[in-house]
Amino acid sequence: MRKDLAAALERVGHAFASYPRRAVLDGCPHCAGETPVDEHDLFSLSIRLGNTVGDRDDVKSLLPVLFRSLVEADDLDPGIVLGKLAHEEWRTWPPAEQQAVDQYLDAVWLALLSDFPSRTGVFGGAADFLDAVAHTGEGIERFLTAWDATGGVAADRQLASLVNDFAFRARRQNEALAAWLCRESTRDRLLAAFERDCDSPWADELADAHDQISR
């Protein structure tokens, strides 16, 4: 694991340490009743946490283990986990807690852009992360800005992969991302990457992506 991501996980643990993890969570008696956390399937718990099982403090107490599982395993749905943030109105939380979440998301993003092919837990690449982070209730613009500032072969190949797999016919579903991909600066970046890597096995990926957004 990258040092910055490990440090971000430590900050998350510290930020939410004041919320003790309960062994048994209260639940809706008509839906599930009490749920023993230590013996419960983490995926199922993540679906019900904060809805029919537990409250906001329980969500906060479990964020460190959920966030760690997202980047170390592949058995959680990142959209469900990150959707807890929007559900619990995380931008009303204390600044230190918000900052810890922001730093975690930034570290995951940079980890994904630093390698290709990339996999960080459940996140198989840039597209997976951007789809999931939209569930936080905020836009993806800050991550696109960070992508602009992140150079290198891996980040360029991630960009080409996203372009080549992007459903431009369904662009209304994500107009911000479609507009960012179709910028002149994105085309210039892909062209420069192709010229740099024209003799590489992935040169066609870069060329195809450039052509895709130049039509």
Side-chain angles (χ1 to χ4, degrees):
M1 181 183 295
R2 284 167 53 104
K3 290 182 179 180
D4 54 346
L5 181 52
L9 285 169
E10 289 185 9
R11 286 191 289 270
V12 168
H14 179 74
F16 296 100
S18 62
Y19 303 94
R21 177 176 168 179
R22 297 194 289 164
V24 177
L25 301 185
D26 300 326
C28 170
H30 303 292
C31 302
E34 294 183 341
T35 298
V37 174
D38 290 339
E39 301 175 5
H40 203 282
D41 173 63
L42 194 57
F43 174 75
S44 298
L45 179 62
S46 69
I47 295 174
R48 298 156 56 200
L49 182 63
N51 295 308
T52 58
V53 171
D55 55 22
R56 178 174 292 181
D57 284 358
D58 292 315
V59 171
K60 290 184 176 184
S61 74
L62 286 165
L63 274 185
V65 68
L66 291 172
F67 279 4
R68 181 172 292 277
S69 184
L70 285 180
V71 299
E72 292 185 344
D74 59 2
D75 54 349
L76 291 181
D77 183 315
I80 290 174
V81 174
L82 296 184
K84 300 300 175 186
L85 300 176
H87 184 267
E88 299 299 340
E89 301 178 327
W90 71 293
R91 284 306 186 190
T92 66
W93 297 358
E97 297 175 4
Q98 295 184 49
Q99 185 179 40
V101 173
D102 279 326
Q103 291 174 339
Y104 167 80
L105 294 174
D106 290 340
V108 174
W109 181 232
L110 292 179
L112 288 169
L113 295 183
S114 69
D115 196 15
F116 190 95
S118 176
R119 174 164 288 281
T120 301
V122 298
F123 302 108
D128 290 342
F129 178 86
L130 294 175
D131 286 344
V133 82
H135 288 82
T136 64
E138 300 194 335
I140 61 173
E141 288 79 7
R142 95 173 201 242
F143 301 103
L144 300 181
T145 298
W147 205 345
D148 279 332
T150 304
V153 173
D156 291 341
R157 293 191 68 189
Q158 288 282 4
L159 177 58
S161 177
L162 180 60
V163 170
N164 289 330
D165 293 339
F166 191 76
F168 283 95
R169 293 181 181 179
R171 61 188 299 170
R172 290 183 180 179
Q173 296 178 7
N174 200 330
E175 293 183 357
L177 180 55
W180 183 83
L181 291 174
C182 292
R183 299 171 308 159
E184 182 177 356
S185 57
T186 303
R187 293 194 295 272
D188 290 345
R189 175 173 181 166
L190 288 168
L191 178 59
F194 171 75
E195 292 174 344
R196 179 196 63 211
D197 299 341
C198 60
D199 294 327
S200 69
W202 56 84
D204 287 346
E205 300 170 13
L206 299 167
D208 289 345
H210 176 269
D211 292 346
Q212 175 89 334
I213 58 176
S214 298
R215 295 171 185 169

